[in-house]
Amino acid sequence: MKKFFTSIWLFIKASTWFKYALVTVFAVVFIGFVDENSVWNHFRNKQTISDLQDEIEEYNKQHEDNQKRIRELDRDPKAMEKIARERYYMKADDEDIFVLSDDMKQEEEE
């Protein structure tokens, strides 16, 4: 086993091109994958930035839609009444609300 390592060391020591090739391969592997500023991390960070920019665009669109809705509510009292009726099941003083349930259908199915 010792002869094997000795022969490898002598080969590396004797051939100059192999030294340069070995150092070049080591540098490419280190720069490409191992280092914290590697090419691999650079591509991952670019992907993360792209994803975050997409999220920012989505949130900006939601913000614009919400601002339009707020302006509409400020201008039109009927819009506020519509939202109160649809979301919170509120009613006017002179009307009755009937909630229809499908409990009977569920009992028959069981």
Side-chain angles (χ1 to χ4, degrees):
M1 189 71 166
K2 191 173 182 182
K3 283 186 176 186
F4 176 72
F5 288 120
T6 310
S7 63
I8 290 177
W9 178 250
L10 290 175
F11 178 73
I12 292 172
K13 193 174 178 184
S15 61
T16 57
W17 68 271
F18 190 73
K19 291 177 196 177
Y20 295 120
L22 186 65
V23 169
T24 303
V25 167
F26 177 75
V28 167
V29 168
F30 185 76
I31 292 171
F33 300 102
V34 178
D35 189 31
E36 94 177 27
N37 296 320
S38 67
V39 176
W40 179 258
N41 285 338
H42 181 71
F43 286 129
R44 277 195 330 200
N45 290 339
K46 276 194 164 213
Q47 181 64 37
T48 303
I49 289 170
S50 174
D51 293 342
L52 291 174
Q53 285 175 341
D54 292 342
E55 274 187 51
I56 288 171
E57 289 175 11
E58 182 180 327
Y59 288 135
N60 283 335
K61 184 176 182 242
Q62 286 179 2
H63 177 72
E64 289 173 10
D65 291 342
N66 290 335
Q67 289 297 323
K68 286 179 187 176
R69 211 176 272 159
I70 287 172
R71 277 186 247 119
E72 180 183 341
L73 289 172
D74 285 342
R75 278 188 255 131
D76 188 17
K78 296 250 184 209
M80 191 178 299
E81 182 180 334
K82 179 182 175 187
I83 289 175
R85 287 172 182 269
E86 289 176 358
R87 289 190 189 168
Y88 304 111
Y89 304 111
M90 293 184 172
K91 65 180 185 87
D93 290 334
D94 62 341
E95 65 184 9
D96 294 325
I97 295 180
F98 297 96
V99 178
L100 302 176
S101 175
D102 59 347
D103 289 340
M104 297 298 279
K105 289 181 183 178
Q106 289 177 356
E107 288 177 7
E108 290 175 4
E109 290 175 4
E110 292 175 356

